[in-house]
């Protein structure tokens, strides 16, 4: 007998009056032999107690009819309680079939006699597989005829006549419409903070006559103030090319629907300026406090500027929204910023014991060349440096083998990810080149282990970014990261001396990314090439690095031949999947397709193991970066790419078509 059974037995025995009458009777019999008087009195008390207990128990014992009446009353109370429950209620079985409901639910669905109907047929968002498996409560939000409800689903047990339990589920509907309306109104009244920068202020002012400059500034201020009045907001000028904007979220939503047409209005200002005026706008939305919204706005404007300007970016807590970005980046002729970045980089190197240089996964020649350039910078300052490379790709195999075969490098300069992690320490510097997205780097773990990170990249900034870098140099107007590093090298030490093989690789990176000095080529691009030429770069050796074998050439020709024309001016093709360097072939084919008359954009897909890669190119009228971003990729306005995992070619093709259509529809709406 366990403790619980013993307690029940004790309650049944010692809390009954019959037990004590029996004890009194036993003592009365004993006293009759020793004290007859006391024994006689005890027997009389025992008899009287027995008669009283019998009469009292008979009077208090409920009859079967009264018990049934009380049970019936209790059942009626429970039934009436659910029937007049102030909230809609449904009882369903484990398969979702309705077994009982109260009248309140009829006001919700405007339907009667729903017994034996399935709850999923009435509420498409509720299915039987969503019911709780244990004692937990499931909460779902549904919308019925513009009314919002929270549905609480609980599991209950019912027993039938055979005492067998079965699962039943109760669904309570709580009208949450007023709460949601109040929440939406509150969000509409919240203040959004915006920062507005004129991207090319200095360049535009230099292209305008002196007497027209005040008029140009006045026109810009006037249009921004008119825009603010339209949205019942405030625009305050902070500096000559910077403004602070305050709007309610309600009006910011109107600007979103109009695709921030203020960008087009400012760009259309022409009073003799050779360059169009472009704006970068960054808004911070729904911060818990105004300072937090201001931080969101700063992050948004940094992202807009990093993506080349002429666009608006909204940061809503951890979500980014992009508008605009259809103008080519404007080259900055001054190299002051490059010099300042170089001086800061030199100081960081001098304070470090060891430098780890890392590019993106599946590195190309631009990535590899930039890494070699940073390696030389560290060597010039007397620091040990290593390049993190897990496996050379076909794109860099030739230059990689030249480095390995060269006798000019006595020490090991390449480390895999595991070896690189073993080299991290308090004074280790991690330099990231040709990429700014942590997930795309060769070894993302290094970014978590190191406190000192430097980023050099020429791609338009994406929402995913290395936030904890001590130095970031990101310029989307620069043709390649190799050009950027070539400029940095000129300020690292007074007299820079590169090895010929290093100069060749840096020039190769510039040549490939500019498509033989055709795309995104500016004055500074040729200056960087001239610097490398003075340091021993040879154009003939560089050209030999790009030679393809016959198999690769045929694969590229096949991709061009099989291209399909979409929307009359776009080419889409699939490169052969059985080629060893498919990514390079796809990129070359995409470049080749732009040489066809009437083609303004090209997209070439290739299959590499379990991944599908897309190379996108354009002549500038189509922003392929925006299209690739819809597919999770990125790049530049004229050169971009994306990658899919565990996706078939046909599925990737459908997603690409969908992204192109969406991009074109957005452009049509904006116009």
């Amino acid at each position: 007998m366990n403790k619980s059974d013993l307690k029940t037995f004790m309650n049944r025995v010692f809390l009954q009056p019959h037990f004590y009458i029996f004890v009194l009777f036993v003592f009365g019999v004993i006293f009759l032999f020793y004290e007859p008087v006391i024994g006689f009195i005890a027997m009389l008390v025992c008899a009287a107690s027995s008669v009283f207990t019998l009469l009292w128990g008979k009077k208090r014992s409920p009859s079967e009819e009264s018990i049934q009446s009380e049970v019936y009353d209790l059942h009626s109370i429970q039934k009436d309680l659910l029937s007049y429950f102030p909230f809609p209620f449904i009882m369903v079985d484990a398969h979702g079939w309705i077994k009982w409901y109260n009248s309140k639910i009829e006001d919700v669905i405007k339907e009667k006699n729903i017994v034996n109907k399935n709850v999923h047929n009435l509420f498409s968002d509720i299915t039987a597989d969503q019911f709780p498996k244990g004692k937990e409560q499931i909460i779902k939000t549904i919308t019925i005829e513009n009314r919002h409800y929270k549905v609480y689903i609980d599991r209950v047990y019912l027993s039938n006549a055979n005492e067998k339990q079965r699962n039943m589920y109760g669904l309570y509907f709580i009208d949450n419409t007023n709460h949601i309306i109040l929440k939406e109104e509150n969000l509409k009244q919240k203040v959004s903070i915006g920062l507005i920068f004129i991207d090319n202020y200095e360049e535009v002012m230099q292209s305008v006559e002196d007497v027209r400059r005040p008029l140009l500034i006045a026109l810009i201020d006037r249009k921004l103030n008119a825009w603010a009045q339209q949205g019942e907001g405030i625009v305050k000028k902070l500096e000559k090319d910077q403004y602070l904007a305050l709007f309610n979220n309600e009006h910011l939503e109107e600007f979103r629907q109009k695709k921030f047409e203020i960008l087009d209005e400012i760009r259309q200002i022409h009073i003799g300026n050779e360059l169009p005026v472009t704006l970068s706008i960054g808004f911070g939305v729904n911060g818990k406090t105004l300072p937090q919204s201001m931080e969101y706005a700063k992050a948004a404007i940094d992202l807009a500027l990093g993506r080349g300007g002429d666009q608006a970016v909204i940061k809503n807590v951890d979500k980014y929204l992009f508008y605009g970005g259809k103008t080519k980046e404007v080259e900055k002729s001054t190299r002051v910023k490059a010099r300042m970045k170089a001086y800061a980089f030199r100081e960081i190197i001098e304070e470090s014991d060891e430098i780890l240089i890392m590019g993106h996964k599946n590195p190309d020649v631009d990535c590899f060349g930039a890494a070699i350039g940073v390696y030389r910078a560290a060597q010039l300052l007397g620091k040990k440096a290593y390049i993190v490379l897990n496996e050379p790709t076909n794109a860099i195999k030739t230059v990689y083998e030249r480095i390995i075969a060269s006798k000019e490098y006595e020490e090991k300069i390449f480390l895999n990810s595991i070896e690189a992690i073993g080299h991290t320490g308090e004074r280790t510097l991690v330099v990231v080149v040709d990429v700014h997205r942590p997930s795309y780097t060769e070894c993302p773990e290094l970014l978590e282990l190191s406190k000192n990170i430097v980023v050099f990249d020429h791609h338009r900034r994406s929402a995913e970014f290395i936030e904890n870098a001590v130095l970031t140099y990101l310029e989307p107007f620069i043709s390649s990261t190799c050009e950027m590093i070539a400029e940095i090298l000129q300020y690292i030490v007074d007299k820079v001396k590169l090895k010929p093989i290093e100069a060749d690789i840096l020039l190769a990176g510039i040549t490939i990314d500019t498509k033989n000095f055709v795309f995104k080529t500016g004055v500074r691009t040729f200056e960087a090439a001239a610097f490398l030429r003075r340091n021993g770069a040879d154009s003939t050796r560089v050209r030999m690095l790009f030679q393809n074998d016959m198999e690769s050439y045929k694969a590229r020709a096949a991709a061009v031949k099989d291209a399909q024309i979409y929307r009359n001016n776009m080419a889409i093709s699939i490169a052969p999947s059985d080629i060893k360097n498919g990514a390079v072939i796809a990129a070359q084919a995409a470049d080749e397709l732009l040489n066809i008359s009437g083609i303004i954009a090209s997209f070439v897909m290739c299959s590499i193991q379990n991944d599908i890669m897309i190379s996108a190119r354009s002549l500038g009228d189509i922003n392929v970066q925006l299209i690739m971003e819809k597919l999770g990729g990125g790049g530049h306005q004229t050169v971009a790419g994306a990658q899919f995992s565990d996706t078939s070619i046909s599925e990737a093709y459908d997603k690409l078509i969908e992204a192109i259509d969406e991009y074109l529809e957005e452009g049509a709406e904006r116009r």
Side-chain angles (χ1 to χ4, degrees):
M1 181 180 295
N2 56 32
K3 186 176 180 180
S4 177
D5 295 337
L6 180 62
K7 184 176 180 181
T8 302
F9 173 76
M10 297 291 287
N11 289 336
R12 289 182 177 178
V13 173
F14 294 106
L15 294 182
Q16 297 297 324
H18 306 86
F19 173 75
Y20 296 100
I21 294 173
F22 175 75
V23 172
L24 183 61
F25 175 77
V26 172
F27 277 99
V29 173
I30 295 174
F31 276 103
L32 284 176
F33 292 98
Y34 299 98
E35 294 289 340
V37 176
I38 297 176
F40 180 73
I41 295 174
M43 296 298 290
L44 289 177
V45 172
C46 182
S49 299
S50 300
V51 173
F52 177 78
T53 301
L54 180 63
L55 294 176
W56 182 81
K58 184 176 182 181
K59 181 178 181 181
R60 295 294 298 173
S61 298
S63 64
E64 183 177 353
E65 290 79 5
S66 64
I67 293 175
Q68 292 178 350
S69 177
E70 290 182 7
V71 171
Y72 177 79
D73 291 341
L74 181 59
H75 178 72
S76 299
I77 292 173
Q78 292 174 339
K79 183 177 180 180
D80 292 341
L81 179 63
L82 290 176
S83 298
Y84 297 103
F85 195 59
F87 304 110
F89 176 80
I90 294 177
M91 183 72 74
V92 301
D93 63 12
H95 302 289
W97 298 102
I98 298 174
K99 298 303 180 183
W100 190 88
Y101 64 93
N102 64 3
S103 59
K104 295 290 184 180
I105 197 65
E106 297 176 352
D107 299 332
V108 175
I109 61 176
K110 311 300 182 185
E111 185 177 343
K112 296 184 178 181
N113 300 324
I114 61 174
V115 174
N116 292 329
K117 290 186 177 181
N118 198 283
V119 68
H120 179 65
N121 296 333
L122 299 176
F123 313 102
S124 58
D125 294 333
I126 301 177
T127 57
D129 57 355
Q130 299 170 345
F131 292 168
K133 302 298 186 292
K135 296 181 179 180
E136 74 276 9
Q137 186 179 64
I138 302 297
I139 302 176
K140 292 189 63 64
T141 301
I142 64 174
T143 301
I144 306 173
E145 295 184 355
N146 298 323
R147 303 294 295 182
H148 305 280
Y149 294 89
K150 270 191 174 181
V151 183
Y152 296 83
I153 307 176
D154 292 303
R155 186 173 74 165
V156 296
Y157 295 100
L158 292 181
S159 301
N160 56 19
N162 297 326
E163 297 298 327
K164 292 183 179 180
Q165 288 187 341
R166 60 173 178 164
N167 291 333
M168 299 290 287
Y169 298 89
L171 282 68
Y172 307 83
F173 293 74
I174 308 298
D175 193 336
N176 202 36
T177 306
N178 292 335
H179 174 75
I180 292 178
I181 292 175
L182 290 174
K183 184 178 179 180
E184 291 177 351
E185 290 296 326
N186 180 51
L187 290 176
K188 289 180 180 179
Q189 297 303 318
K190 291 191 70 173
V191 176
S192 300
I193 300 179
L195 294 173
I196 304 173
F197 286 13
I198 301 177
D199 299 323
N200 52 351
Y201 180 85
E202 296 294 341
E203 289 77 10
V204 170
M205 291 304 165
Q206 290 176 5
S207 68
V208 180
E209 298 178 1
D210 293 346
V211 294
R212 291 178 176 267
R213 290 177 184 174
L215 178 58
L216 178 60
I217 296 173
L219 284 174
I220 295 173
D221 292 345
R222 180 180 178 182
K223 285 189 176 293
L224 287 175
N225 287 323
W227 179 60
Q229 292 179 1
Q230 177 186 354
E232 299 180 359
I234 299 173
V235 172
K236 180 69 174 178
K237 193 168 188 175
L238 301 178
E239 297 183 17
K240 60 183 180 180
D241 58 348
Q242 299 181 16
Y243 301 81
L244 175 69
L246 299 175
F247 290 96
N248 287 338
N249 285 356
E250 180 180 6
H251 298 288
L252 186 63
E253 181 64 26
E254 297 175 2
F255 298 150
R256 287 181 53 194
Q257 294 176 358
K258 296 179 180 180
K259 308 296 182 183
F260 280 88
E261 59 185 4
I262 185 63
L263 296 171
D264 299 323
E265 294 177 6
I266 295 295
R267 199 185 308 108
Q268 292 169 2
I269 296 177
H270 292 288
I271 58 168
N273 49 302
E274 298 176 0
L275 297 174
V277 183
T278 61
L279 298 180
S280 287
I281 302 175
F283 269 98
V285 180
N286 293 333
K288 294 182 179 179
T289 61
L290 287 178
Q292 189 177 54
S293 293
M294 188 63 179
E295 291 299 319
Y296 290 168
K298 291 179 180 178
I301 194 66
D302 288 343
L303 186 54
L305 293 170
R307 290 165 58 87
D310 188 33
Q311 59 192 280
V313 178
I314 298 176
K315 182 177 182 182
N316 187 350
V317 189
D318 57 351
K319 182 181 179 181
Y320 288 93
L321 301 173
F322 303 95
Y323 302 90
K326 297 189 176 182
T327 300
K328 294 182 179 179
E329 301 90 350
V330 179
E331 179 190 13
K332 304 292 191 303
S333 58
T334 177
R335 295 168 63 177
V336 174
K337 186 175 182 179
R339 176 168 52 84
M340 294 176 62
K341 295 291 185 181
Y343 289 162
F345 184 44
R346 182 177 63 188
E347 292 180 1
I348 295 173
I349 291 178
E350 290 175 344
E351 295 174 357
S352 304
D353 293 337
E354 208 169 47
I355 292 89
L356 298 176
I357 308 159
M358 174 172 60
H360 53 75
K361 297 175 182 177
N362 300 316
D364 53 16
V365 177
D366 183 40
C367 174
F368 188 75
I372 291 294
V374 174
Y375 172 84
R376 176 49 52 197
Q379 292 290 306
L380 291 172
L381 295 174
K383 299 293 182 179
K384 284 187 176 181
Y386 301 94
I387 298 175
V388 182
L389 180 64
N390 289 315
E391 184 177 354
T393 61
N394 289 314
I396 66 170
K397 188 175 182 180
T398 303
V399 292
Y400 174 80
E401 290 175 349
R402 283 188 59 183
I403 291 289
I404 295 298
S406 174
K407 298 180 180 180
E408 300 182 21
Y409 301 94
E410 298 179 357
E411 298 181 354
K412 179 181 180 181
I413 68 172
F414 296 106
L415 302 176
N416 59 36
S417 295
I418 298 176
E419 292 172 333
I421 292 174
H423 278 261
T424 55
E426 288 291 330
R427 293 170 60 86
T428 300
L429 173 64
V430 176
V431 182
V432 180
V433 295
D434 202 38
V435 64
H436 61 264
R437 302 176 68 168
S439 61
Y440 280 30
T441 58
E442 188 78 4
C443 181
E445 293 80 6
L446 286 180
L447 303 177
E448 301 175 1
L449 296 174
S450 178
K451 298 180 180 178
N452 302 317
I453 301 172
V454 174
V455 178
F456 293 110
D457 192 17
H458 72 117
H459 295 101
R460 288 160 67 105
R461 180 170 171 173
S462 61
E464 183 188 6
F465 192 75
I466 299 174
E467 301 288 352
N468 58 335
V470 296
L471 176 65
T472 300
Y473 188 19
L474 190 149
E475 291 290 358
F477 67 84
I478 294 180
S479 68
S480 59
T481 313
C482 283
E483 176 188 333
M484 183 183 294
I485 299 302
E487 289 185 346
I488 293 291
L489 284 170
Q490 299 177 55
Y491 300 105
I492 287 293
V493 293
D494 293 335
K495 294 182 179 180
V496 181
K497 185 60 179 175
L498 303 179
K499 299 182 184 299
I501 187 174
E502 296 168 347
D504 285 349
I505 296 174
L506 283 167
L507 183 58
I510 297 175
T511 304
I512 287 182
D513 272 28
T514 59
K515 314 305 175 191
N516 290 315
F517 295 89
V518 174
F519 288 100
K520 294 189 66 175
T521 304
V523 175
R524 291 170 60 175
T525 308
F526 289 105
E527 290 177 351
F531 162 74
L532 296 173
R533 183 68 183 89
R534 289 193 300 269
N535 278 268
D538 184 86
S539 57
T540 303
R541 291 198 303 265
V542 170
R543 184 168 184 174
M544 291 177 64
L545 297 175
F546 306 147
Q547 287 183 319
N548 290 325
D549 54 27
M550 183 59 69
E551 183 182 3
S552 299
Y553 190 87
K554 290 181 178 179
R556 183 178 68 184
V560 174
K561 180 178 70 71
D562 296 336
Q564 298 179 354
I565 305 302
Y566 183 68
R567 296 271 188 145
N568 298 323
N569 54 13
M570 300 184 196
I572 302 176
S573 182
I574 300 175
S577 59
D578 55 350
I579 198 71
K580 60 181 180 180
N581 51 348
V584 176
I585 298 303
Q588 293 176 345
D591 293 330
E592 194 73 26
L593 285 168
L594 291 181
N595 294 328
I596 300 175
S597 176
I599 300 299
I600 63 174
S602 61
F603 306 87
V604 180
M605 295 180 289
C606 66
S607 177
I608 302 177
Q609 295 179 352
N610 295 326
D611 297 332
I612 303 297
M613 303 189 69
I614 303 178
S615 290
R617 303 290 187 268
S618 83
L619 295 176
D621 295 333
I622 299 293
N623 190 335
V624 291
Q625 182 211 7
L626 297 180
I627 297 176
M628 291 298 100
E629 282 184 340
K630 297 179 184 298
L631 302 175
H636 297 282
Q637 182 175 353
T638 57
V639 180
Q643 181 175 337
F644 297 102
S645 297
D646 300 324
T647 303
S648 65
I649 282 286
S650 59
E651 292 174 341
Y653 183 90
D654 294 338
K655 291 179 180 179
L656 174 61
I657 293 296
E658 183 180 352
I660 294 173
D661 292 341
E662 185 178 344
Y663 167 81
L664 294 176
E665 290 173 3
E666 291 175 354
E669 291 176 1
R670 185 176 176 184
R671 287 191 293 270

